[in-house]
Amino acid sequence: VGTLFLNLGNTHVKAGRLRDAETSYERALTLMRDALGENHVELARPFLSRGVTRKKQGRYDEARLDYEESLRILRLHPESPKQMEAMVLANLGNLEKRSGRYPEALQRHEEALAIREVSEGAESSDVADSLGDIGTLLRAMGDETRAREHFERSLRISLELRGPDHPELIAAHLRLGNLAFDQGRDEDAQRHLA
């Protein structure tokens, strides 16, 4: 029955009813705890979902607590889905970045990247996304050389997987173009931004 409320919460999110979604996730947590116990791996999902919902509402501290609880539960179970652990880490990294805690954000995103490279392979779309996130953080921290390396690898993977005309490549080109422009590499900037 807890899964039913989890799915209902997801439906509320898609419809933009975030408070209703949160209520459904809380009901799912209660039912799943009662049926499965406090630390069952299935509890990680409603904590993650509630965290995402709270983040969308601007309730970042509460979202962080949910993400951390989801991660704690996943790490209690070595057999838990690694993609989910990487997703939780990336969400935590995004929250840390939003709070200006760049070193902590970088650590979370690097952990997510390491998991994704092992569980999905070094050339997956999730790896490309992690590389873009890390590049953005490195740039914000003033390490433009490493940022460029991450941006270029992200773009290369995305090109191989999605082809040159895929709309998701826009972000990768913008990151590289803006960096090149700021560094005075006008020809490179034009190549990415044109």
Side-chain angles (χ1 to χ4, degrees):
V1 175
T3 304
L4 179 67
F5 279 96
L6 184 61
N7 292 335
L8 180 61
N10 295 340
T11 301
H12 286 310
V13 168
K14 288 177 184 172
R17 296 185 301 268
L18 300 180
R19 290 288 182 181
D20 291 338
E22 187 174 352
T23 300
S24 293
Y25 294 141
E26 288 169 359
R27 185 74 177 126
L29 279 166
T30 300
L31 292 167
M32 293 170 88
R33 273 190 187 126
D34 290 347
L36 304 170
E38 283 292 316
N39 293 314
H40 194 280
V41 68
E42 289 299 318
L43 288 170
R45 196 168 308 279
F47 275 112
L48 172 61
S49 297
R50 187 174 69 178
V52 169
T53 301
R54 287 175 165 175
K55 181 182 174 234
K56 287 181 178 186
Q57 295 175 68
R59 295 162 53 204
Y60 304 115
D61 290 336
E62 293 171 272
R64 180 180 288 109
L65 292 174
D66 282 338
Y67 292 154
E68 288 173 351
E69 184 62 9
S70 181
L71 184 61
R72 183 193 70 77
I73 291 168
L74 289 167
R75 288 185 168 169
L76 287 174
H77 303 277
E79 76 286 353
S80 67
K82 294 303 171 194
Q83 292 89 344
M84 187 170 174
E85 184 176 339
M87 184 188 321
V88 173
L89 286 163
N91 283 333
L92 277 165
N94 291 336
L95 280 178
E96 298 294 1
K97 178 185 171 202
R98 187 172 208 345
S99 300
R101 293 189 289 266
Y102 294 143
E104 293 87 351
L106 182 60
Q107 178 184 349
R108 295 296 192 171
H109 280 295
E110 286 177 338
E111 287 179 71
L113 174 62
I115 290 170
R116 287 171 169 166
E117 286 179 324
V118 169
S119 66
E120 300 175 33
E123 306 292 315
S124 75
S125 60
D126 285 337
V127 166
D129 292 343
S130 284
L131 290 165
D133 291 337
I134 291 170
T136 299
L137 281 163
L138 290 168
R139 183 166 186 218
M141 296 169 73
D143 191 344
E144 292 183 345
T145 301
R146 286 182 54 214
R148 182 178 176 186
E149 292 168 1
H150 283 76
F151 290 155
E152 287 174 346
R153 183 172 168 215
S154 175
L155 177 60
R156 183 184 51 75
I157 292 169
S158 294
L159 278 168
E160 289 174 11
L161 293 175
R162 299 174 175 136
D165 297 326
H166 197 281
E168 289 183 23
L169 290 173
I170 292 170
H173 280 292
L174 282 173
R175 287 190 294 254
L176 276 165
N178 289 332
L179 178 61
F181 180 79
D182 290 347
Q183 292 178 328
R185 295 181 294 110
D186 295 340
E187 197 172 292
D188 281 347
Q190 188 173 21
R191 182 169 47 93
H192 289 291
L193 297 174

